[in-house]
Amino acid sequence: MKDWYLKVLDARVAHENQALAFLSYDDEHHRIALSDPGATAEIAKRVAGTSEGLVDTPTGPASKLSPADLAELPPHGLAHIAFTYESLADLIGNYRRLKDLSILPAIAINHGPTTSLYYRDPDSNQIELQVDNFDTVEKDTAFLESESFRKNPVGVVFDPDEMAAQLQAGESEAVLKAPTW
């Protein structure tokens, strides 16, 4: 898992021990914490006397349901984690880097507000790498309130290789990111 995030986010290890790894891809001390729950619980018990509140087993209503009961529930839980890039060139540059590492997006969508590449990490969590399509919150909000977005709140699929070629050929980011529906 750690190696996947290091590759996808072009990150670095800020701290690592037998239980935890803290990763960052910018000036922030860490952005992602990965843990081995058993090893983390042992350390927490040793240094704090308890692991409660740090490493717990679920105790909410869903923890009392059988697997069959859980299967009957509507989809729930974490949908995805999003990471925003400064520009379309940065997003496409990262796409090319990941493609060279054989890490390909599951889908590429222009949502209107964002141009997004969705990946699956080794545990099948969905990761969205995106760039904002508008330069102001007001323009973003106006699009979200538009008839176009009302008719299609999902967006349109695009080919990242085709977008990369158009960007390299000199097409402007504004044109390539513009919602076309």
Side-chain angles (χ1 to χ4, degrees), residues 44-114:
K45 287 176 187 173
R46 187 176 71 239
V47 300
T50 182
S51 64
E52 191 171 329
L54 178 63
V55 182
D56 295 327
T57 54
T59 58
S63 68
K64 296 172 180 61
L65 299 175
S66 71
D69 291 335
L70 284 171
E72 294 297 317
L73 293 175
H76 58 282
L78 177 69
H80 69 270
I81 301 169
F83 298 91
T84 303
Y85 285 75
E86 186 77 22
S87 68
L88 183 60
D90 292 340
L91 179 68
I92 293 299
N94 192 58
Y95 161 76
R96 286 178 166 163
R97 184 182 67 78
L98 293 175
K99 184 177 178 183
D100 288 345
L101 296 171
S102 299
I103 299 173
L104 300 172
I107 193 166
I109 301 176
N110 180 323
H111 287 299
T114 64

Side-chain angles (χ1 to χ4, degrees), residues 2 10 19 27 34 44 46 56 60 62 66-67 82 86 91 102 111 114 127 132 134 136 151 161 178:
K2 176 186 73 177
D10 201 18
D27 293 334
L34 302 171
R46 187 176 71 239
D56 295 327
S66 71
E86 186 77 22
L91 179 68
S102 299
H111 287 299
T114 64
I127 306 301
D132 290 327
F134 298 98
T136 68
K151 289 180 179 177
D161 286 317

Side-chain angles (χ1 to χ4, degrees), residues 116-148:
S116 304
L117 302 171
Y118 288 89
Y119 294 83
R120 292 268 180 205
D121 77 9
D123 283 347
S124 291
N125 297 302
Q126 196 172 56
I127 306 301
E128 177 184 9
L129 305 182
Q130 67 181 20
V131 64
D132 290 327
N133 288 345
F134 298 98
D135 58 356
T136 68
V137 173
E138 293 78 17
K139 289 178 184 176
D140 187 48
T141 301
F143 182 78
L144 289 172
E145 294 172 350
S146 74
E147 183 67 14
S148 292

